[in-house]
Amino acid sequence: DTAVSQTPKYLVTQMGNDKSIKCEQNLGHDTMYWYKQDSKKFLKIMFSYNNKELIINETVPNRFSPKSPDKAHLNLHINSLELGDSAVYFCASSQVASVSSNEQFFGPGTRLTVL
Amino acid sequence: GENVEQHPSTLSVQEGDSAVIKCTYSDSASNYFPWYKQELGKRPQLIIDIRSNVGEKKDQRIAVTLNKTAKHFSLHITETQPEDSAVYFCAASIGSSASKIIFGSGTRLSIRP
């Protein structure tokens, strides 16, 4: 009964390729996020969508393009992969409008390795 | 820009002793402060959070304190156990909306048997 799921779990690819990571949440949340965690464990927000609308877009290269077909899905497409894109990418979701809790529920992560 | 600083980056304590992790934030409008625990190879998970209208919150062996004037907040873990070994992240909301939080750089906590 996975709350936030991501596919694939591991992704190994060559520089210059284009790849996608998919994320789905079954919690009924209205907000979804993509985070990048580098080798030093820094967790940096990349994007956030609220009800399919982009609300946060950090200074991320435009090679990264999020797509939210509906509020339960937020996919991340990366063009022309570079060595520096190697990291663990986490999807998360939350119910921001909730008064009781704004907990972000994270997916299991996708470890991307660019060779 | 908005910033959250976290110290120390690594912390080793004897099992049974207490551990304290401290954070400071820069946005005076921040009003939501969660703490996440990330075990090795796992996803971050919320362990406790506090809002700006409260100075302290406790949940069993874990407590968080908030000093809004000084823009400091801290995590206290008492009677530490081996399963407390993990990386801990503090975070602060940007502005009054909880839709965006900025994470600290993390503290790797090791519990010595």
Side-chain angles (χ1 to χ4, degrees), chain A residues 10-79:
Chain A
Y10 300 97
L11 188 51
V12 181
T13 188
Q14 299 285 334
M15 266 196 318
N17 284 350
D18 303 338
K19 290 293 178 186
S20 292
I21 308 172
K22 295 187 176 183
C23 178
E24 177 181 1
Q25 55 97 1
N26 62 7
L27 297 166
H29 288 166
D30 54 18
T31 305
M32 295 184 72
Y33 310 81
W34 276 110
Y35 288 90
K36 179 181 180 180
Q37 186 171 46
D38 61 22
S39 57
K40 293 183 180 177
K41 299 298 184 186
F42 292 126
L43 259 175
K44 292 201 68 175
I45 189 162
M46 302 172 67
F47 301 103
S48 176
Y49 271 73
N50 181 272
N51 280 319
K52 302 195 297 174
E53 183 181 338
L54 181 65
I55 58 170
I56 296 172
N57 185 351
E58 292 299 290
T59 50
V60 177
N62 57 15
R63 298 182 294 105
F64 290 78
S65 53
K67 281 190 173 49
S68 181
D70 55 62
K71 76 172 196 175
H73 295 84
L74 180 61
N75 304 323
L76 183 66
H77 188 75
I78 315 170
N79 288 328

Side-chain angles (χ1 to χ4, degrees), chain A residues 33 37 58 102 104 106, chain B residues 36 38 43 51 99-100:
Chain A
Y33 310 81
Q37 186 171 46
E58 292 299 290
N102 297 122
Q104 292 191 15
F106 283 78
Chain B
Y36 284 79
Q38 186 178 26
R43 71 191 79 189
R51 294 185 186 275
S99 63
K100 180 179 175 182

Side-chain angles (χ1 to χ4, degrees), chain B:
Chain B
E2 302 90 358
N3 191 39
V4 175
E5 294 194 359
Q6 182 170 348
H7 300 280
S9 57
T10 60
L11 180 60
S12 178
V13 301
Q14 194 76 33
E15 184 178 349
D17 287 351
S18 295
V20 180
I21 302 170
K22 298 183 178 183
C23 290
T24 60
Y25 61 98
S26 59
D27 185 354
S28 56
S30 296
N31 65 357
Y32 175 64
F33 307 91
W35 287 86
Y36 284 79
K37 175 183 179 183
Q38 186 178 26
E39 295 177 3
L40 188 62
K42 301 282 181 68
R43 71 191 79 189
Q45 290 188 289
L46 182 76
I47 53 171
I48 194 166
D49 56 13
I50 191 169
R51 294 185 186 275
S52 58
N53 58 347
V54 175
E56 185 173 354
K57 185 175 178 181
K58 192 172 180 181
D59 182 4
Q60 298 183 334
R61 297 186 296 109
I62 293 173
V64 58
T65 58
L66 171 65
N67 182 332
K68 279 217 75 177
T69 304
K71 296 184 195 166
H72 288 174
F73 58 116
S74 302
L75 179 72
H76 304 252
I77 306 174
T78 58
E79 300 171 24
T80 51
Q81 299 168 6
E83 55 265 35
D84 294 330
S85 293
V87 178
Y88 291 81
F89 293 95
C90 64
S93 64
I94 300 304
S96 57
S97 168
S99 63
K100 180 179 175 182
I101 59 173
I102 297 291
F103 283 89
S105 53
T107 296
R108 186 177 298 278
L109 174 63
S110 301
I111 307 302
R112 303 191 304 271

